[in-house]
Amino acid sequence: MSGQRIVVAMSGGVDSSAVAAMLVDQGYDCIGVTMRTFPTGASPSTRKAHGCCTLQEARDAQRVAAELGIPHYLLNYEDVFQENVIDNFLDEYVSGRTPNPCVRCNQFIKFDALREFATRMEASHVASGHYARINHNRRWRLYKGQDPHKDQSYVLYVLTQEQLAHTMFPLAGLTKAETRETARRLGLHLADKAESYEVCFVPDGDYLKFISTRRPDALRPGPVRHVSGEVLGEHRGIAFHTIGQRRGLGIAAPRPLYVIRIEVASNTLWVGEEEHLHRSRFLVKDANWIAFDRPPDGLLCEARIRYNSPEGPARIHLQPDGRLEVELRSPQRAVAPGQSAVFYQEDEVLGGGIIEKVLDTPAMVGARAAKENGGP
């Protein structure tokens, strides 16, 4: 709608820059916003690193805004980012869980704090470069993006009805290649800029260094045990390991070994072979539903247990305390507490939540599979 005011979240990358250019080209009154989330005390080298929300990205966003002739704001969300994203990231790893900071950033920063800014600026919507689709059919609904290689619906399941009503995803129907072509057509200087994949506050990808520097108490050695009970070695700290991890265990074995369970109470890292990684039942907490206020008990859907994994058939059982018991039709590899489980029906995101606890063991999974295959 020509003249309608939109706040555009501009990270300095191709996607968000293309969104700003597209909306300006369509006649919207755009305001560019870059969120400053640099960790307190970050070194100059960290602040200048390429990656989401770094100083260089902010400068790129500012230049694009100038090219488009729109106002640009650099807003300081350092404190709220530290509290809701970085501190949570550290707490989860120290507790033996594997968090997804992008989900938390979307929940508390991009579609919460930024929405408050948009309201103050009398803007009707916040627009971002996410590859996902929003539609309205009796209620606001969320769908996968057109490009299966760029679909970001998994990290958006936390959006509420109110947030979806005031959010725009202009890249919903485009592929990444089409987005770059659009950026070229609209004259953006960074149409061919490379993408950044690392966590923004760990730009060098060294999680061990990041965690140990900020939580030195995480460096607490403990035993590494095989599923047979045999002690194979010693780990540096459970915070430095995730379910499904193979490298960095420091153990010599005739077959590849993987982390299959992290036992916080005894500070034990349990390892096993590939066949020990698969699970089919787990609990989910902090569920957010988009497709309905409350799902029917026994809901059949497709569940995705991490960002890059495929969905698998699942049934959801509602628990009296609000948690969900998820039962997968086929066991999936490396179900990790702390990660998000997101539920789909075809392309629609029904909702999701945080994996709290795995309920079955390798022996239980094996027994169930044998029974299904005609065993005793």
Side-chain angles (χ1 to χ4, degrees), residues 2 30 43 98 126 133 145 170 179 214 305 315 328:
S2 180
C30 293
S43 67
T98 307
V126 170
R133 293 179 289 137
T179 296
R214 288 154 181 80
I305 61 168
R315 184 186 296 272
L328 302 174

Side-chain angles (χ1 to χ4, degrees), residues 212-270:
S212 59
T213 300
R214 288 154 181 80
R215 297 288 175 86
D217 56 314
L219 290 166
R220 188 163 66 94
V224 178
R225 287 183 178 271
H226 189 264
V227 288
S228 64
E230 180 185 0
V231 176
L232 302 179
E234 186 177 78
H235 63 79
R236 295 184 58 187
I238 59 174
F240 308 124
H241 300 280
T242 60
I243 302 297
Q245 177 182 339
R246 176 185 173 187
R247 298 181 183 277
L249 297 178
I251 297 171
R255 296 177 63 190
L257 295 177
Y258 305 84
V259 177
I260 64 166
R261 184 159 62 96
I262 298 173
E263 193 173 89
V264 179
S266 64
N267 194 33
T268 300
L269 202 66
W270 290 86

Side-chain angles (χ1 to χ4, degrees), residues 139-141 161 288-296 299-301 316 318 343 345 348-352:
R139 63 187 292 128
W140 292 99
R141 298 177 180 274
Q161 287 291 299
N288 179 65
W289 296 103
I290 296 175
F292 23 61
D293 293 328
R294 178 182 172 85
L299 174 69
L300 294 175
C301 62
I316 297 174
L318 306 184
F343 310 117
Q345 282 183 346
E348 183 175 7
V349 179
L350 305 180

Side-chain angles (χ1 to χ4, degrees), residues 5-311:
R5 181 168 293 173
I6 307 293
V7 164
V8 183
M10 299 181 67
S11 68
V14 178
D15 296 332
S16 60
S17 298
V19 165
M22 290 166 63
L23 294 178
V24 168
D25 189 56
Q26 294 167 18
Y28 287 95
D29 175 16
C30 293
I31 298 172
V33 172
T34 300
M35 296 165 285
R36 182 180 180 273
T37 59
F38 307 127
T40 301
S43 67
S45 61
T46 296
R47 290 177 182 271
K48 292 180 181 179
H50 284 279
C52 175
C53 306
T54 61
L55 182 59
Q56 182 59 54
E57 299 299 293
R59 289 172 175 165
D60 285 344
Q62 186 177 40
R63 178 178 172 183
V64 170
E67 291 173 353
L68 298 174
I70 64 174
H72 177 266
Y73 293 83
L74 180 61
L75 302 183
N76 188 345
Y77 289 121
E78 180 178 328
D79 290 343
V80 67
F81 189 80
Q82 178 73 40
E83 178 183 354
N84 290 289
V85 181
I86 298 178
D87 287 348
N88 174 264
F89 177 89
L90 294 168
D91 289 344
E92 289 291 276
Y93 268 107
V94 170
S95 300
R97 296 184 290 268
T98 307
N100 189 318
C102 293
V103 171
R104 299 275 298 186
C105 184
N106 285 330
Q107 183 175 13
F108 294 101
I109 313 296
K110 292 180 181 176
F111 299 101
D112 189 358
L114 195 54
R115 173 60 191 153
E116 292 179 8
F117 173 78
T119 299
R120 294 200 303 271
M121 299 300 291
E122 299 182 345
S124 63
H125 289 74
V126 170
S128 77
H130 287 92
Y131 287 82
R133 293 179 289 137
I134 297 173
N135 198 0
H136 189 272
N137 180 10
R138 292 177 289 183
R139 63 187 292 128
W140 292 99
R141 298 177 180 274
L142 178 67
Y143 299 85
K144 294 179 182 179
Q146 182 70 27
D147 187 344
H149 302 293
K150 289 294 295 178
D151 168 51
Q152 292 169 298
S153 61
Y154 173 86
V155 296
L156 297 169
Y157 77 88
V158 290
L159 296 186
T160 66
Q161 287 291 299
E162 194 277 336
Q163 289 169 334
L164 287 167
H166 298 283
T167 298
M168 299 173 66
F169 296 141
L171 304 183
L174 301 182
T175 64
K176 182 69 178 192
E178 291 170 337
T179 296
R180 290 192 183 278
E181 182 55 39
T182 297
R184 294 188 195 96
R185 177 176 59 81
L186 295 175
L188 297 183
H189 75 280
L190 44 57
D192 296 310
K193 183 177 180 179
E195 292 189 81
S196 175
Y197 295 99
E198 60 275 305
V199 173
C200 64
F201 51 88
V202 192
D204 58 2
D206 191 342
Y207 283 24
L208 192 153
K209 177 183 176 182
F210 182 81
I211 296 171
S212 59
T213 300
R214 288 154 181 80
R215 297 288 175 86
D217 56 314
L219 290 166
R220 188 163 66 94
V224 178
R225 287 183 178 271
H226 189 264
V227 288
S228 64
E230 180 185 0
V231 176
L232 302 179
E234 186 177 78
H235 63 79
R236 295 184 58 187
I238 59 174
F240 308 124
H241 300 280
T242 60
I243 302 297
Q245 177 182 339
R246 176 185 173 187
R247 298 181 183 277
L249 297 178
I251 297 171
R255 296 177 63 190
L257 295 177
Y258 305 84
V259 177
I260 64 166
R261 184 159 62 96
I262 298 173
E263 193 173 89
V264 179
S266 64
N267 194 33
T268 300
L269 202 66
W270 290 86
V271 299
E273 285 74 20
E274 172 72 29
E275 60 266 26
H276 298 121
L277 274 174
H278 296 79
R279 301 290 189 276
S280 60
R281 291 174 58 244
F282 53 89
L283 280 179
V284 168
K285 65 177 182 177
D286 301 333
N288 179 65
W289 296 103
I290 296 175
F292 23 61
D293 293 328
R294 178 182 172 85
D297 190 28
L299 174 69
L300 294 175
C301 62
E302 301 282 319
R304 188 190 300 182
I305 61 168
R306 66 178 59 81
Y307 184 81
N308 288 319
S309 72
E311 295 101 52

